[in-house]
Amino acid sequence: MTRRFVMEFERPLVELEDKIAELRTLDLTDKPDLATEIAILAQEIDQLRHETYEHLTPWARVQIARHPDRPKTTEFIEALFTDVIELHGDRLYGDDEAIFAGFGTLSGRRVVILGHRKGKTTKENVRRNFGSPHPEGFRKAMRVMRLADRFGLPIVSFLDTAGAFPGIEAEERGQSLAIAESLAALSQVAVPVVVAGIGEGGSGGALAIGFGDRLIMLENAYYSVISPEACASILYKDSSHAETAAGCLKMTAEDLVGLGIVDEVVPEPFGGAHNEPEAAFVAIGERISAALDELDGQERATLVQRRYERLRAIGVYA
Amino acid sequence: MPIADWFKARESRKYTPASDKSAPAEVPDGVWVKCESCKHIIYEGELVADQRVCRHCGHHFALSAPERIGSLVDEGSFVEKDAGLSPGDPLSFSAAKPYGASLDKAREQSGLNEAIVTGSAAIGGHDVVIGVMDFRFVGASMGSVVGEKVARAFEAALSQRKPLVMVISSGGARMQEGMLSLMQMAKTSAAAARLSDAGVPYISILADPTYGGVTASFPVLADVILAEPGARIGFTGPRIIEQTIRQKLPKGFQTSEFMLEHGMIDSVVPRSELRDTVGLLLEYLSAKGGER
Ligand SMILES: [Zn+2]
């Protein structure tokens, strides 16, 4: 039997569940006391399950967002879009598999799809750098954004990255420039841009394809200026304070609605999208379509102007 | 230009006064500084006269925003805008050290309300809009106020059709304002895109250090990107890269010279030549009077 992946915050619950499963294999015919004990334990487990998943802390949500079985961009695309054609390469250096770019049809509507692409297997993850793009990934996204603009196709973008790839070659090939240019391009495309945060939203690498006219997020997705671990290692010189940092950074979908950055939180199946991916696909698909409906028929110049005004309004100062 | 004159001119415009610590003109005689590069002991007065460049090895020391403005713009031409714009604490951020306390300390040490000073000035006789970051203020990280002042500077340059000059040094996005800080990258980049579209010149000068979310936004979207010699410039900080790849970084990695070699910036310009270089660039970029 393969053991399921256990997140840190659910470990106490899973240990009890394992225990009761073991107890239930015993022959209890002449042990009525033990049967009562098991019944009580079962009740306690139900209570703990409720406490564990009903009120998830920011740090628990980060763990869910990183769950290896959490549905990835590729699965959302397969589930929601038909007639998908992937477009490869940045026309400069290479094809970065950490970014998906292409055409697809969502409930009859033809769009351009962008997304960070993590792998399912170790082999895929090695090729895709666990969804952390190099400059050529952002340049591919930018190239395809401009195609969308030129041919009047709305853009749907899926966010799921720990961040832009931190490496020597990424710096040599202009990680900063690629991200900045992508930000500038995305601010100017005169087609609707709908962004869906489905997992990790790590800093500039997420932002490069991560803002638009509507920003929706699955309830356990996060979006943050810095990873909680990196924040903790800067502030406390110790990454074990990541849990505290995750709370302070206000990086959950719900927090970001409060800050005026996220438009809508999309509820997930109990315990996280990995428990019932189909439900997550349907929920996200509906909300993306609804957002695109709202943006239909807007003048090109109006779209760009309103997007600018949305960005201009972000910030708190005296 | 003697920096003391500039400070006098500045005071007459009711500029927020800098503290003694940050005002080299007020440093008493007999203060000595050790060059962090060549280890020579330099007389503070000499360092001020040399715009804080070591005369032994050419090492460029950090400049405060007031010092930078003094060294770059035509004497007496600077008029500050939005000086009163002050950061809040929108996340009530209190991990390790309350954000409010960091801000108080930064204000006290720098005499500034935020990590960037913006306004109008002239360089070589060209009227410009200018923004200068000050590393003393929470590592010149970009939060809501820095993003807002940058966006306003771009908008002022656009509406007045005046060239924009930005002097950058920053540790990156300000984590104590969370996603509000990250979004300033998009906001400032969008503002830069509009200025570019309008054909108004924009020159950025990258000083030591320029990192993270700040590098990956408005600074590298300039028409001409200059950097001071030896400045550390990059996206991901060297320690994080070393941890990821588990090897030492090559010497000179993420310096101005490295950026030049990889085709990411236009030129490395010593501080002593910056004013003339920017003035000459403005001659070229204003050839059509900014119209197109
Ligand atoms: Zn020296």
Side-chain angles (χ1 to χ4, degrees):
Chain A
M1 194 183 94
T2 54
R3 281 197 57 87
R4 72 180 171 111
F5 181 84
V6 178
M7 296 174 280
E8 183 189 298
F9 77 94
E10 61 180 1
R11 181 152 293 131
L13 174 67
V14 172
E15 277 167 9
L16 283 182
E17 283 173 341
D18 286 354
K19 191 75 205 161
I20 204 167
E22 191 189 317
L23 289 170
R24 279 177 170 147
T25 62
L26 301 174
D27 179 9
L28 300 175
T29 38
D30 53 354
K31 298 190 183 93
D33 290 358
L34 195 51
T36 315
E37 296 247 352
I38 290 173
I40 292 169
L41 182 60
Q43 269 187 1
E44 281 174 18
I45 288 175
D46 278 349
Q47 175 68 19
L48 184 59
R49 186 178 297 120
H50 173 83
E51 283 167 12
T52 303
Y53 297 118
E54 291 278 302
H55 304 288
L56 293 164
T57 63
W59 183 232
R61 291 187 198 278
V62 170
Q63 291 167 52
I64 294 175
R66 294 170 176 170
H67 194 293
D69 298 332
R70 187 170 178 83
K72 311 276 191 296
T73 293
T74 39
E75 291 153 84
F76 277 90
I77 294 173
E78 277 167 27
L80 296 175
F81 297 85
T82 54
D83 298 336
V84 173
I85 297 182
E86 183 173 356
L87 302 171
H88 293 276
D90 67 346
R91 303 284 196 269
L92 280 166
Y93 180 83
D95 183 38
D96 185 353
E97 290 193 35
I99 292 262
F100 175 91
F103 298 118
T105 304
L106 175 68
S107 311
R109 192 193 311 261
R110 298 194 189 285
V111 303
V112 152
I113 310 167
L114 300 175
H116 303 99
R117 180 161 52 185
K118 290 181 178 174
K120 271 301 223 192
T121 62
T122 308
K123 212 172 141 189
E124 275 181 359
N125 266 323
V126 167
R127 284 211 316 270
R128 297 173 184 175
N129 290 306
F130 294 85
S132 288
H134 279 71
E136 48 274 22
F138 298 120
R139 290 184 175 126
K140 170 170 67 176
M142 209 184 320
R143 180 174 77 77
V144 177
M145 278 172 207
R146 291 190 175 126
L147 274 185
D149 185 29
R150 198 136 22 96
F151 298 101
L153 294 164
I155 296 171
V156 176
S157 183
F158 294 95
L159 308 188
D160 189 15
T161 182
F165 189 78
I168 293 178
E169 293 187 337
E171 297 291 318
E172 287 175 340
R173 300 202 285 271
Q175 193 71 288
S176 305
L177 283 95
I179 292 172
E181 285 165 3
S182 189
L183 296 174
L186 194 52
S187 76
Q188 296 222 310
V189 290
V191 292
V193 179
V194 175
V195 178
I198 57 167
E200 296 193 85
S203 183
L207 185 68
I209 59 166
F211 69 95
D213 306 311
R214 293 288 185 281
L215 176 48
I216 64 179
M217 274 176 79
L218 280 173
E219 66 167 302
N220 297 317
Y222 78 80
Y223 203 168
S224 182
V225 67
I226 186 169
S227 76
E229 289 88 346
C231 178
S233 75
I234 292 169
L235 291 176
Y236 297 96
K237 315 288 173 216
D238 178 359
S239 60
S240 70
H241 288 83
E243 178 162 12
T244 312
C248 291
L249 286 165
K250 303 277 189 287
M251 55 201 277
T252 69
E254 193 187 341
D255 285 330
L256 295 173
V257 170
L259 289 173
I261 291 168
V262 166
D263 299 292
E264 193 179 348
V265 182
V266 181
E268 289 187 28
F270 188 76
H274 57 281
N275 288 331
E276 213 187 321
E278 280 302 323
F281 300 148
V282 170
I284 279 282
E286 278 174 2
R287 300 323 300 157
I288 292 173
S289 288
L292 288 170
D293 286 344
E294 284 169 34
L295 296 164
D296 258 347
Q298 287 199 23
E299 290 289 326
R300 287 171 61 88
T302 311
L303 272 170
V304 176
Q305 179 62 24
R306 287 198 182 149
R307 193 176 310 136
Y308 186 67
E309 285 162 10
R310 263 170 75 88
L311 289 173
R312 273 312 266 109
I314 296 174
V316 174
Y317 46 86
Chain B
M1 176 187 76
I3 198 95
D5 290 353
W6 185 83
F7 271 90
K8 270 187 217 125
R10 188 188 61 134
E11 262 168 30
S12 71
R13 280 192 296 277
K14 295 210 169 169
Y15 189 96
T16 318
S19 73
D20 288 356
K21 272 181 236 163
S22 66
E26 291 163 353
V27 166
D29 285 352
V31 175
W32 301 84
V33 180
K34 188 174 179 182
C35 173
E36 47 207 83
S37 178
C38 71
K39 315 292 177 206
H40 265 96
I41 307 292
I42 316 163
Y43 177 52
E44 173 78 30
E46 240 176 44
L47 201 52
V48 169
D50 296 343
Q51 301 181 31
R52 302 205 151 257
V53 176
C54 173
R55 60 175 64 174
H56 306 283
C57 74
H59 175 71
H60 285 50
F61 287 73
L63 290 184
S64 69
E67 288 172 318
R68 173 68 70 180
I69 291 165
S71 93
L72 192 63
V73 310
D74 298 351
E75 195 170 342
S77 68
F78 180 72
V79 179
E80 190 173 7
K81 285 265 287 181
D82 301 317
L85 225 52
S86 298
D89 183 7
L91 310 189
S92 304
F93 192 96
S94 61
K97 183 180 178 191
Y99 181 34
S102 306
L103 290 174
D104 287 344
K105 192 174 154 215
R107 274 189 210 109
E108 191 194 321
Q109 284 184 346
S110 68
L112 304 173
N113 281 323
E114 249 299 356
I116 189 166
V117 174
T118 56
S120 59
I123 298 176
H126 294 271
D127 285 340
V128 297
V129 173
I130 187 167
V132 177
M133 299 182 87
D134 193 315
F135 199 78
R136 296 170 304 165
F137 201 103
V138 197
S141 51
M142 177 160 70
S144 298
V145 172
V146 171
E148 179 65 22
K149 288 177 86 168
V150 168
R152 288 188 190 183
F154 275 101
E155 287 166 354
L158 179 58
S159 67
Q160 299 162 32
R161 296 199 72 86
K162 272 190 204 165
L164 177 67
V165 176
M166 285 284 189
V167 187
I168 322 294
S169 68
S170 174
R174 186 171 296 168
M175 61 187 172
Q176 294 94 333
E177 291 185 31
M179 274 299 285
L180 293 168
S181 300
L182 191 75
M183 295 305 292
Q184 303 308 313
M185 289 171 63
K187 178 164 131 182
T188 57
S189 298
R194 285 159 83 98
L195 188 69
S196 175
D197 254 17
V200 176
Y202 165 32
I203 297 169
S204 68
I205 299 163
L206 312 184
D208 182 69
T210 299
Y211 269 98
V214 169
T215 316
S217 64
F218 70 94
V220 295
L221 296 171
D223 297 302
V224 177
I225 307 172
L226 308 178
E228 288 196 330
R232 290 162 295 172
I233 304 165
F235 180 65
T236 309
R239 256 179 313 161
I240 305 275
I241 297 178
E242 280 184 344
Q243 279 167 20
T244 309
I245 63 172
R246 296 193 190 85
Q247 63 184 73
K248 277 273 174 211
L249 293 169
K251 210 170 181 298
F253 180 67
Q254 291 185 324
T255 57
S256 304
E257 294 74 17
F258 169 93
M259 292 290 280
L260 185 73
E261 187 189 327
H262 288 92
M264 300 300 158
I265 61 172
D266 290 283
S267 187
V268 177
V269 182
R271 191 171 288 163
S272 58
E273 296 168 21
L274 263 181
R275 187 208 298 241
D276 287 348
T277 304
V278 171
L280 185 55
L281 282 169
L282 290 173
E283 295 280 341
Y284 283 106
L285 298 175
S286 306
K288 285 197 289 187
E291 299 295 334
R292 80 168 178 180

